[in-house]
Amino acid sequence: KQEVTQIPAALSVPEGENLVLNCSFTDSAIYNLQWFRQDPGKGLTSLLLIQSSQREQTSGRLNASLDKSSGRSTLYIAASQPGDSATYLCAVLRSGYALNFGKGTSLLVTP
Amino acid sequence: DGGITQSPKYLFRKEGQNVTLSCEQNLNHDAMYWYRQDPGQGLRLIYYSQIVNDFQKGDIAEGYSVSREKKESFPLTVTSAQKNPTAFYLCASSIDWQSYNEQFFGPGTRLTVL
């Protein structure tokens, strides 16, 4: 069974800092990995998707990397802003149809 | 605007009642999914549908039922057999069920049992 773990569970940083969120998974036979953002009481917004054959994806201040062999992914956020405060979820695609989610990292960026 | 809509935003259910959560998408996606989110837990898959008139059980299907009569609609019924239905329910879709496809999510429905 695929287990997805996100560390840390919560993180507080001052505005302007660069930060890294970590995601690990137990079964390296994944098809892709998605990073999502969730604001309180809201749905999920897809941030980045990395195919299993890719090593990283970038979108604006976000960069996600994937190391399948070690079962790890990181989400790098550059020059953090208060508007980045949210919960960040990592999910891996298994069996071609459904995502396995981690419990998320709750990020607070203080002015 | 293309996207996924869920209604209602909030839903209250009495013991013994069945309730139906709506999910509609205008993205022309073949595949649709229902997930449940509980505090402190990751999202868990309830049901998924790869194509019209077909659907499969996910990891926690007991006490739930779905239908897929139209491509754009995938309603979820929470039956009285679901013992702990209070949760946040999220609907998602993807272009098809191929392994490389990104999943997009709706805004969610919060269900509370009174």
Side-chain angles (χ1 to χ4, degrees):
Chain A
K1 182 185 175 184
Q2 178 74 271
E3 299 286 344
V4 180
T5 303
Q6 292 188 245
I7 295 173
L11 181 63
S12 180
V13 300
E15 181 177 5
E17 273 203 8
N18 302 326
L19 58 100
V20 174
L21 307 181
N22 296 293
C23 173
S24 62
F25 45 93
T26 54
D27 186 346
S28 62
I30 66 169
Y31 292 97
N32 67 38
L33 184 146
Q34 269 186 267
W35 282 95
F36 295 90
R37 168 186 173 136
Q38 186 176 31
D39 293 288
K42 307 291 186 183
L44 276 61
T45 300
S46 180
L47 298 174
L48 290 165
L49 180 145
I50 309 177
Q51 302 294 349
S52 60
S53 59
Q54 298 174 321
R55 297 286 297 197
E56 66 178 321
Q57 283 287 334
T58 298
S59 176
R61 295 183 292 108
L62 305 179
N63 175 275
S65 68
L66 174 64
D67 184 343
K68 273 183 55 176
S69 61
S70 66
R72 295 181 185 276
S73 175
T74 61
L75 178 67
Y76 176 83
I77 302 177
S80 58
Q81 304 170 357
D84 295 330
S85 299
T87 296
Y88 291 80
L89 297 166
C90 166
V92 297
L93 188 67
R94 59 184 168 95
S95 304
Y97 63 84
L99 292 168
N100 268 114
F101 282 84
K103 296 180 181 180
T105 293
S106 177
L107 173 65
L108 176 65
V109 181
T110 55
Chain B
D1 287 337
I4 301 172
T5 58
Q6 292 185 241
S7 62
K9 185 173 181 180
Y10 299 98
L11 186 58
F12 298 91
R13 191 193 93 169
K14 294 181 181 178
E15 294 282 349
Q17 271 187 340
N18 292 352
V19 292
T20 298
L21 284 60
S22 170
C23 177
E24 303 275 335
Q25 53 97 0
N26 61 4
L27 301 169
N28 201 32
H29 286 177
D30 280 328
M32 297 187 75
Y33 313 82
W34 274 105
Y35 293 88
R36 168 179 171 146
Q37 186 176 34
D38 294 278
Q41 296 198 37
L43 277 72
R44 293 178 290 169
L45 181 70
I46 304 172
Y47 269 97
Y48 68 99
S49 169
Q50 296 174 347
I51 201 166
V52 175
N53 293 321
D54 181 69
F55 50 84
Q56 305 295 329
K57 293 181 179 179
D59 299 321
I60 54 165
E62 184 175 352
Y64 300 97
S65 66
V66 293
S67 62
R68 188 83 187 279
E69 298 176 358
K70 298 186 296 182
K71 186 175 185 177
E72 59 270 22
S73 179
F74 190 39
L76 173 74
T77 296
V78 184
T79 74
S80 56
Q82 169 50 238
K83 297 307 179 188
N84 185 22
T86 295
F88 191 48
Y89 291 86
L90 290 156
C91 176
S93 71
S94 60
I95 294 175
D96 57 33
W97 56 273
Q98 296 296 325
S99 58
Y100 49 83
N101 284 315
E102 189 173 6
Q103 289 191 19
F104 297 91
F105 282 75
T109 292
R110 186 165 299 280
L111 173 63
T112 302
V113 174
L114 301 175

